[in-house]
Amino acid sequence: MTELTDLINILEKELISLETLREVVLCKQNAIVKHNYDALKIALTEEEAAIKGVTEHEQQRLAFIAHCIDDLDAKMQTLTLQEVVEQLNYTRTDELTQLEGRLRNTLQQITYLNDQNKMLVNNSMNFIKETINIVTQNKSRQLINRTV
């Protein structure tokens, strides 16, 4: 049972890292919407640190799984939590089920926020391109007709 407890502890740490990342991505979105360059710069730095934490916890989880399950094949990266529990010959606990749901929900929220951020950045880039085109194409043309 100690292996299951260890797995739950690792997953809880991974969840905390993902929740931190979600909050940072939300801060980044607010900075994009408010056109606040300084806040965006800070959010990007924090996002890098949060991603590093998520990566470290993911590596811990993968190392734990590799240690516990001897006959792993190349699909270790794609094993579901259910498959890992079955390989360890443990029954699913309510705690594990809740943790899995929270992990899935947090990942979906991060994905959604990232998609929104991508759209916001693309819209901003299109606006800038159009503004530059308007300014550069109309140098020879008067914007205001001053005939009297």
Side-chain angles (χ1 to χ4, degrees):
M1 193 68 169
T2 188
E3 287 177 341
L4 184 61
T5 304
D6 292 343
L7 177 61
I8 289 172
N9 289 337
I10 291 169
L11 291 174
E12 285 174 342
K13 290 176 185 176
E14 192 169 3
L15 177 62
I16 291 169
S17 294
L18 287 169
E19 288 173 341
T20 301
L21 178 60
R22 180 190 59 209
E23 295 305 314
V24 170
V25 171
L26 187 58
C27 288
K28 183 173 74 171
Q29 184 176 70
N30 289 332
I32 292 169
V33 168
K34 294 177 182 178
H35 304 287
N36 187 339
Y37 174 75
D38 293 331
L40 181 59
K41 190 174 171 181
I42 291 168
L44 288 172
T45 303
E46 290 175 354
E47 184 178 37
E48 286 178 23
I51 289 171
K52 185 178 179 181
V54 169
T55 303
E56 288 173 2
H57 289 110
E58 181 180 17
Q59 289 172 350
Q60 286 177 356
R61 176 177 43 84
L62 292 174
F64 172 81
I65 292 169
H67 173 73
C68 292
I69 303 173
D70 297 328
D71 59 341
L72 281 179
D73 56 4
K75 74 172 217 161
M76 183 174 93
Q77 297 277 345
T78 60
L79 279 176
T80 65
L81 190 53
Q82 179 65 33
E83 292 170 331
V84 170
V85 171
E86 287 172 2
Q87 288 283 332
L88 294 174
N89 294 322
Y90 290 120
T91 56
R92 274 182 92 78
T93 63
D94 289 339
E95 183 179 15
L96 192 59
T97 302
Q98 289 175 356
L99 190 55
E100 181 182 23
R102 289 177 61 200
L103 282 163
R104 182 175 286 118
N105 185 36
T106 303
L107 285 168
Q108 288 172 345
Q109 289 174 4
I110 291 170
T111 302
Y112 179 75
L113 288 170
N114 277 332
D115 290 343
Q116 285 184 328
N117 289 348
K118 180 180 177 182
M119 184 185 68
L120 289 169
V121 169
N122 286 338
N123 287 341
S124 294
M125 288 186 342
N126 289 336
F127 177 77
I128 291 168
K129 286 178 186 176
E130 298 230 1
T131 302
I132 289 172
N133 284 339
I134 289 171
V135 169
T136 57
Q137 290 176 356
N138 291 328
K139 275 190 169 180
S140 61
R141 203 172 65 184
Q142 276 189 329
L143 295 177
I144 301 175
N145 188 357
R146 292 188 153 225
T147 58
V148 179

